[in-house]
Amino acid sequence: MTPTITAVDTWEVLDSRGDPTVRVACEVDGEARSERGVFTVPAGASTGAHEATERRDGDDRYDGRGVRGAVAAVREELAPAVVGVDATDQRAVDATLEDRDGSEDLSRLGANAVLGVSGAVAHAAAAAREIPLYAHVADLAGREPGRVPLPMVNLLSGGLHAAGGIEIQDFLVIPAGAETYPEAIETVHAVRSALRERLIADGHRPLVADEGGFAPPLGSVDEAFSLLESAARDAGHEPSREDVAFAVDVAATHFYDADAGQYRLESLGRELDREGMLDLVEGWTERYPLVSVEDPLAEDDWDGFAALRERLDGTGVQCQVLGDDLLATNTGRVERAVSGGAASAVLVKPNQAGTVTRTLDVVERARQAGLATVVSARSGETCDATIADLAVGLDAGQIKIGSLARSERLAKYNRLLGIDHEAERGYAGGRWPPTTEG
Ligand code: PGA
Ligand code: ZN
């Protein structure tokens, strides 16, 4: 019996910042009884200009961030369009949703409305098939389920996630040397605890930012990396590409002054042009075991990204250039990056894409082109753990969830612990770069 969509329900809930977001429940007729799938849409703060566009009410509720319009769009336009459709045919469901919206960036009904339905259908289909979501996702992609991904974990936060802190958004660690996923989590916990102790000893309160990273006042980028080095050593590890490696999300679009052509690092008292940023990043890769640099330049600086890749290739350093705002989980932009050599890795955020199918297509295109993939949470999340299943189902190799703190982050780390425990899927980590089918 085909699991047909019989009903779609939706309502407004609050995310980890206390802002409204869209939750959708989808019901399907299963083999013996009806099944239900629920998905909750995340939200970014440092959103890029090229993402699918979420819809906010802009009225006086919730500082204008209400999503009653998106909820109404699901109820009145999207639900009637997908009721009666085969829930296991995700491509047909998503085509119907896109068609009903009618705009490329899904701004008419709202990408949060469209993705809400798309995600809930995937969950309902997996439930009807009585298989885990990651196995259903793998089927949708026409592949075997993959390994548990290597996590990159935020320890220090700045930018739009920590008002008043350093402009650079995330300093992360990658437990490259841990042989298993549970060991990787233990390693990160040890480093994070050591960092917390150091911050307290230095007179800081260990308060956390939006993704659970600490946000002490930092006088320089080198101070942030030195803190990570000291914390790794305090925890009995080596800061190295073989043991505890580093990653950074510069999120440079958000401190770029386009008129002046300058990156304004006000907290550090510095202004840099593109060349200055390239020198800065190259310097980090020489001094620290940095294996991933995300959005080191503004979101449309294709040439700058390509220049950085060339420089890093020239030095032979194993550091991926990861595109977030640059690529916006958009196949067309990934295509452009492939032809121009602008990135070696793609950040994958389902709500930048707008549907499950678009997300799968981006991962597939990246894989064909030999780019690494990093499935990513947003800064505004709920305890929805869909991205954990997505990363395993697609054998993404890497995942970025935020810090080892706050329940909306732990829900995903814990889902991966569950998959690791139950399914013996293997682990992509234990080395840098991680293992994927390629
Ligand atoms: P965002 O941050 O969800 O606020 O965009 C995450 C990121 O930049 O990777
Ligand atoms: Zn980013």
Side-chain angles (χ1 to χ4, degrees), residues 44-46 161 169 211 249 294 324 347 349 378-379 400:
S46 70
H161 299 167
Q169 187 174 285
E211 296 192 359
D249 181 1
E294 178 177 337
D324 173 10
L347 202 74
K349 291 169 165 171
R378 301 306 306 244
S379 50
K400 179 186 175 211

